[in-house]
Amino acid sequence: MQGFRWAAATTAALVTIGMLATPGRAVPEPVPASAPVATSGGSGGSGNADVPRSFGPAAAATPAPKPSSGADERTPLTPEQVRAQVAEAARLQTQLAESDAELAVAGKELAALAAASNTAMSAVTQARDAEKAAKKAEADEIARLKALTAQVAAARDDVDGMAYDAYVNGPGVLGQVAALVDLVGSGGLNADAAAQARFAAGARSADEKRFAALARQQREAAAKAAALRARRAAATAQAEKAQKAAAGAVAKQQAAVLDLQKVAAERRARLDKLGVSGGMIAGVDMAALQEVVTTPLCTEDNATYPNGQWPGSALCALKTSPGHMMRPSAARAFDAMSKAYQTSTGSPLCVTDSYRGLAAQVDVKRRKPTLAATPGTSNHGLGLAVDLCGGVESFGTPQHIWMQQHAPLFGFYHPAWAQPGGSRPEPWHWEFTG
């Protein structure tokens, strides 16, 4: 009996860090955010529905839910719900530490490295956004400089014409015009001629001033364009540095996953010695990582389109979530991640929302103005964001912990604003950075 109790404790511990493979087990159905979170005492504050102690009872794998007829926004978690879910996650970590110290140490190290990867990938997104903004500012200023250059050329022609006139007709022409204006300024038969002379003199003076002003603006635009080019170069360098740092962090995380697999394998061997089935204990399918780069993309359309205006030809369907689509590279990575998740849980990742067109964004904003993002600004409209269910939508579940510790391996991260201490906690929202 002691052996069976030990096995049960170890199994619970492995569930906590997402290392449990239970073929044929189901991911819990999506639950409303207002349902209570289960705690160690059997009661809890508000949050998502009863938090499972494992990935679910033995049953046929639950398929991903069919997408709703229209995109929507989940109800934000209240501070009380967030606290309850975080407390549940902490309880699971404590349970792990009490069940097996060595496994707890390995899990804690993986959690720290996964958090570092998540932060690094968030920095990549921010750096790329800064680079994009810098490129646009540079392009806008260069376009302005080109327009000013054309205007300066036209103004120069006017000034050159005035200079040529003075050269051909003699340097006294302008002076004679001024004298004529003084002579007939009182009116009389020559009033029309005087007005024409006054206009000609004023026009030439205006040409000179306009040319000088345009030339000054041209010089200023050239200087600004040079500064913006330097800013763009710095932003590009920062983005490349952030990408390199993220790659290094993910490599360390991957090594930690492999170390944790070794520890889990040892537990399986001990269980087998005791005559207890250890087949439920397995590591993450690391082979799925290769599919992130080896699987052919569903489309060769690699152009960039405005937010919410991506054509179907530039998007790929998520294989395990019919009806949902993402940008090609994001969809390929998601499919690989979902496969690894299924190896550990028995079911693929559950999706409620993915690419969201502009019309859908406008509709959600109209119906829920305080919840939805401004149309044209959501990463859902770029095919880079996905909202998950099946347990991932709560901070205090093994499913969410699995995502925290493994998603960065596949290029997905949890934005800082969506984390428990963020401005808008959304455990279900994940983004792809590549």
Side-chain angles (χ1 to χ4, degrees), residues 167-367:
Y167 173 77
V168 172
N169 298 297
V173 172
L174 294 181
Q176 292 172 4
V177 169
L180 178 61
V181 170
D182 291 337
L183 179 64
V184 296
S186 57
L189 296 177
N190 293 323
D192 289 341
Q196 293 175 9
R198 187 180 299 109
F199 174 79
R204 291 181 174 182
S205 176
D207 283 343
E208 289 181 315
K209 291 179 179 178
R210 178 170 175 270
F211 174 75
L214 287 172
R216 183 180 67 255
Q217 293 176 40
Q218 183 189 38
R219 289 192 298 270
E220 292 172 351
K224 187 175 180 180
L228 288 173
R229 174 163 296 182
R231 173 183 159 192
R232 187 261 304 159
T236 298
Q238 182 61 34
E240 293 174 352
K241 181 180 179 181
Q243 187 72 55
K244 185 177 180 180
V250 169
K252 291 180 180 179
Q253 180 188 357
Q254 183 173 345
V257 169
L258 294 174
D259 288 342
L260 195 54
Q261 284 181 322
K262 293 177 183 177
V263 177
E266 292 174 4
R267 297 303 181 275
R268 179 166 52 188
R270 292 181 191 176
L271 288 177
D272 290 340
K273 264 189 175 182
L274 293 171
V276 179
S277 174
M280 294 173 68
I281 304 174
V284 173
D285 181 11
M286 298 300 287
L289 286 176
Q290 297 300 319
E291 298 182 15
V292 175
V293 293
T294 60
T295 302
L297 296 174
C298 78
T299 175
E300 295 299 321
D301 187 346
N302 58 0
T304 299
Y305 298 91
N307 190 302
Q309 299 179 50
W310 284 63
S313 61
L315 296 169
C316 293
L318 302 184
K319 294 178 180 178
T320 57
S321 300
H324 289 285
M325 306 184 79
M326 296 187 77
R327 193 180 295 192
S329 56
R332 177 173 63 181
F334 181 88
D335 288 336
M337 180 171 65
S338 186
K339 180 178 180 180
Y341 183 86
Q342 184 169 16
T343 298
S344 290
T345 70
S347 295
L349 284 166
C350 171
V351 180
T352 61
D353 200 10
S354 52
Y355 172 73
R356 187 182 298 167
L358 188 60
Q361 294 181 49
V362 171
D363 177 61
V364 174
K365 187 65 175 178
R366 177 185 60 79
R367 291 185 292 105

Side-chain angles (χ1 to χ4, degrees), residues 10-20 22 52-55 398-399 401:
T10 303
T11 298
L14 288 167
V15 165
T16 303
I17 55 173
M19 300 302 294
L20 180 60
T22 55
R53 296 295 179 259
S54 67
F55 280 101
Q399 291 87 354
I401 293 174

